[in-house]
Amino acid sequence: MSFAEKISSIMQRPGQDPVAKDDVPWWMKYAGRGLGTVGSIIAIFLGVWNCASILLGSVDCLISGMWQMVAGFIVIMIEAPCCCLFIDFVQNLSDWVEKRPYWNRAVAYCLIALPSVFLCLGMSSLFGSGLIFATGVIYGLMSLGRKGTRPDPAGITSGVSSPQGTVPPTTDHHTTLVEDPDVWRPT
């Protein structure tokens, strides 16, 4: 067993299938989980800082801080249930969210990050909710999957074999940009 396999066996969740079912790179999974965990802790602390603005009479920033703390707590419950062992349902919630597609998590994180910024536009709201929003963006990228292969443009137009197989030549010249690749003529 290699060192990377030992580390991945230590880092996997209880009951998790050791063989990945999707084609998302390992570093992106850890980036999403790590940014979600660290970003939600920072968002909670910055939410407390936002709540302290009630001393200046800003009720909107108080509500924004409370929203940011709740959003950070929801994200940390989903991403790092080990941080919330004192709550009974956290592991069940985290397991349920793990079974959902990545785009569900991306939409949820992006949506719960926005109200705090709209209520109180300040650096603590932008940074704290921005980290939660960035976690949603990472999960959105994970839902897109890997890049496709770049087709060979010369092989597509000339009928030469390409990485995907042989492409038949086309007789319709309206589909190509230039009829003769050596001579350019405006249309």
Side-chain angles (χ1 to χ4, degrees):
M1 181 181 269
S2 71
F3 181 70
E5 290 172 348
K6 289 179 185 178
I7 295 297
S8 66
S9 68
I10 291 171
M11 296 297 288
Q12 74 183 7
R13 298 168 59 100
Q16 182 181 359
D17 192 15
V19 178
K21 294 179 181 149
D22 52 3
D23 60 344
V24 176
W26 63 271
W27 60 268
M28 197 170 239
K29 288 181 183 180
Y30 288 129
R33 190 164 299 276
L35 183 63
T37 304
V38 173
S40 62
I41 291 170
I42 292 172
I44 290 171
F45 285 123
L46 291 176
V48 171
W49 183 260
N50 254 357
C51 287
S53 68
I54 192 65
L55 298 173
L56 300 174
S58 178
V59 177
D60 291 342
C61 288
L62 171 72
I63 296 170
S64 169
M66 290 190 301
W67 184 277
Q68 189 171 334
M69 287 189 299
V70 169
F73 186 68
I74 289 171
V75 172
I76 204 165
M77 280 192 318
I78 294 170
E79 296 298 327
C82 61
C83 295
C84 304
L85 291 175
F86 53 90
I87 303 174
D88 294 336
F89 67 89
V90 169
Q91 189 63 42
N92 294 334
L93 174 71
S94 179
D95 291 339
W96 179 75
V97 170
E98 284 293 320
K99 293 176 187 171
R100 308 291 303 161
Y102 289 130
W103 70 268
N104 292 134
R105 204 181 307 187
V107 168
Y109 288 171
C110 289
L111 286 179
I112 65 172
L114 291 177
S116 177
V117 175
F118 290 140
L119 286 170
C120 179
L121 188 61
M123 286 307 291
S124 59
S125 293
L126 280 175
F127 189 66
S129 294
L131 291 172
I132 294 173
F133 192 85
T135 304
V137 169
I138 288 177
Y139 278 109
L141 292 174
M142 287 169 59
S143 70
L144 293 176
R146 289 190 182 268
K147 281 193 323 184
T149 60
R150 192 168 105 187
D152 182 20
I156 290 174
T157 58
S158 64
V160 183
S161 72
S162 65
Q164 289 83 18
T166 304
V167 179
T170 179
T171 58
D172 184 17
H173 294 290
H174 296 289
T175 60
T176 61
L177 294 176
V178 178
E179 293 178 19
D180 187 5
D182 296 330
V183 178
W184 181 79
R185 290 181 213 121
T187 56

